[in-house]
Amino acid sequence: MKVTEFVGLQMFELSYLGILAVLPFFVAQKYIGGFILSVLLLIGSYHVIRKYTYKAIGNNHGRSVLITGCDTGFGHAFARRLDNLGFTVFACVLNLDGEGAKTLQQSTSDKLHVIKVDVTKDQDVKGALDYVGKTIKQNDIGLWAVVNNAGVNMTADVDFCTMEMYKRVAEINLFGTVRVAKAFLPLLRLTKGRVVNVSSVRGRCAFPVASAYSMAKYGVEAFSDTLRAEMLKFGVKVIVVEPSNYGGATGMLNDVWCQQMEKDITSMWNEASNEVRNTYGQNYLHSLYEAGKSTAKTTYPTLIPVLDAMEDAIVNCSPRYRYLISGGNTLYDIYVVLARLNGILPESWMDFIMARTLLSGLPPIQGVDTEANKS
């Protein structure tokens, strides 16, 4: 990894620890300073211990992993990585005739199985369960992990986002995760394996024009926390991976997304009330669409940091419960900064920071004196 890339990923963590390190010297009460220093020592010791006590599971060739959403993005790249590591991989795709499925079939070993799974359909998930169960029995291997990666994005203000759009995003991102996890839990209990749910930084902090996506990802976080507590007695681990700004690198902002967004813009405008139309103006929606496309230029250039976290979640004997992964191509990731501050700072402070950082990047609303208009 280049030095600049490392600094970009770690800047907030370094700044955060630096502030904590000097804060005691500006605190009048020595006990408070001592407490903060003690916390710093505990955090540092924790990371050192984790680094030097790392232990991999071993015997990758005797284990299998199922991954959803392998047409593009994280799922596609992670399926190839696990295949290289010797795992038997069940790569679930939405389109067997698509470029992603063909690439997986042509560029991987015979231990990678490409299967068609629409996570919104019970029969598809049941078919995948039957296929996986039969395959692992024939090859005398176990199902070690399920990676719930399938997801879609949706960008729109609450005023415009239709109920159909809310349901579509939730059905894939949230209920698809629940549907797949529930189906494969019996096989995971046999191996004391793990469930890896790919959430998002937006599952830790809700940002403007992302209510549908954030609602679903918050749901994934809640589901994961509950499932983790329930699976402890069976030895099954539940892990959450929370990528930040990687949309351009994943392909989530690709031509398919653009075509769907264009359709959604038409639907949103047609279904909006006259009051909403008069408040925002039609140009607002088109500007929002262009702003969404332009975010592809701000994302982290590769998927490697997220793939590394996903690999650690699979092969580490003692994985973390959560992996919040900075992204973007700037010195620090504002989304991760806000996610870490969320729940610590008062809501009014968070609103102020968000208005100065995120709202200023949104298109102006006609006739309304907003932060976006001021900028």
Side-chain angles (χ1 to χ4, degrees):
M1 178 181 289
K2 296 179 181 179
V3 174
T4 53
E5 292 177 355
F6 173 80
V7 172
L9 285 173
Q10 306 298 330
M11 178 53 66
F12 177 76
E13 286 77 5
L14 293 173
S15 301
Y16 181 71
L17 292 176
I19 292 171
L20 286 180
V22 301
L23 189 59
F25 299 103
F26 297 96
V27 177
Q29 298 294 329
K30 61 180 180 180
Y31 299 107
I32 297 177
F35 172 76
I36 293 175
L37 285 175
S38 298
V39 172
L40 273 175
L41 288 173
L42 285 174
I43 294 173
S45 300
Y46 168 78
H47 286 289
V48 170
I49 292 171
R50 280 193 60 86
K51 179 178 179 180
Y52 288 101
T53 59
Y54 171 84
K55 182 180 178 182
I57 56 172
N59 190 27
N60 296 349
H61 294 273
R63 305 174 191 265
S64 66
V65 178
L66 178 134
I67 310 170
T68 65
C70 292
D71 298 84
T72 59
F74 298 134
H76 182 90
F78 194 50
R80 299 181 68 173
R81 177 178 285 204
L82 289 187
D83 178 64
N84 289 332
L85 291 175
F87 287 92
T88 295
V89 180
F90 299 99
C92 303
V93 299
L94 189 60
N95 183 8
L96 280 175
D97 297 322
E99 189 63 33
K102 292 178 181 178
T103 300
L104 287 175
Q105 291 168 334
Q106 296 168 1
S107 62
T108 57
S109 73
D110 57 3
K111 295 179 68 175
L112 187 143
H113 306 256
V114 180
I115 53 179
K116 194 269 184 186
V117 178
D118 182 341
V119 298
T120 69
K121 296 180 179 179
D122 291 331
Q123 61 269 29
D124 276 22
V125 175
K126 176 61 165 57
L129 178 62
D130 293 340
Y131 180 84
V132 170
K134 180 179 179 181
T135 303
I136 62 177
K137 185 176 181 180
Q138 290 176 343
N139 294 277
D140 193 27
I141 56 177
L143 180 66
W144 173 244
V146 168
V147 181
N148 281 303
N149 167 74
V152 294
N153 197 1
M154 175 68 216
T155 302
D157 294 74
V158 174
D159 271 323
F160 277 113
C161 198
T162 67
M163 292 308 301
E164 185 278 328
M165 293 170 188
Y166 279 114
K167 292 175 182 177
R168 183 179 76 215
V169 173
E171 189 61 49
I172 298 171
N173 294 6
L174 174 56
F175 296 117
T177 295
V178 176
R179 183 176 287 108
V180 172
K182 281 175 61 65
F184 286 90
L185 283 177
L187 294 179
L188 294 174
R189 275 193 284 267
L190 295 175
T191 62
K192 291 182 170 53
R194 49 196 62 178
V195 178
V196 180
N197 292 330
V198 180
S199 177
S200 168
V201 66
R202 286 172 170 79
R204 294 272 292 268
C205 186
F207 302 125
V209 302
S211 62
Y213 188 75
S214 291
M215 285 167 58
K217 292 304 184 180
Y218 264 71
V220 170
E221 299 276 346
F223 173 69
S224 301
D225 286 343
T226 302
L227 185 63
R228 185 182 68 250
E230 294 176 355
M231 289 295 109
L232 283 175
K233 55 183 173 288
F234 300 111
V236 175
K237 292 180 171 62
V238 179
I239 300 137
V240 181
V241 176
E242 302 164 331
S244 184
N245 190 0
Y246 287 86
T250 63
M252 186 172 277
L253 303 176
N254 58 15
D255 292 339
V256 175
W257 178 87
C258 291
Q259 293 170 6
Q260 182 62 53
M261 189 62 184
E262 289 173 351
K263 294 179 182 178
D264 288 339
I265 285 176
T266 301
S267 298
M268 287 187 286
W269 183 255
N270 291 338
E271 294 191 29
S273 66
N274 289 330
E275 190 275 337
V276 169
R277 292 183 185 182
N278 293 333
T279 298
Y280 289 84
Q282 193 167 11
N283 286 337
Y284 174 82
L285 278 178
H286 291 287
S287 298
L288 195 64
Y289 165 64
E290 293 299 329
K293 287 200 302 182
S294 67
T295 59
K297 301 176 182 178
T298 70
T299 61
Y300 197 75
T302 75
L303 304 179
I304 291 175
V306 180
L307 298 180
D308 289 344
M310 295 170 76
E311 180 182 331
D312 192 71
I314 297 294
V315 305
N316 194 337
C317 287
S318 301
R320 292 158 55 184
Y321 287 144
R322 272 183 170 77
Y323 296 81
L324 178 59
I325 310 156
S326 297
N329 58 10
T330 55
L331 194 57
Y332 66 93
D333 188 335
I334 184 60
Y335 298 105
V336 170
V337 172
L338 290 170
R340 293 193 185 279
L341 295 176
N342 191 32
I344 299 176
L345 297 182
E347 285 83 355
S348 59
W349 292 23
M350 289 294 294
D351 288 347
F352 176 83
I353 297 172
M354 208 170 292
R356 294 300 186 275
T357 55
L358 301 183
L359 290 177
S360 60
L362 296 180
I365 300 173
Q366 62 179 29
V368 179
D369 188 21
T370 64
E371 290 298 330
N373 291 356
K374 293 176 184 177
S375 63

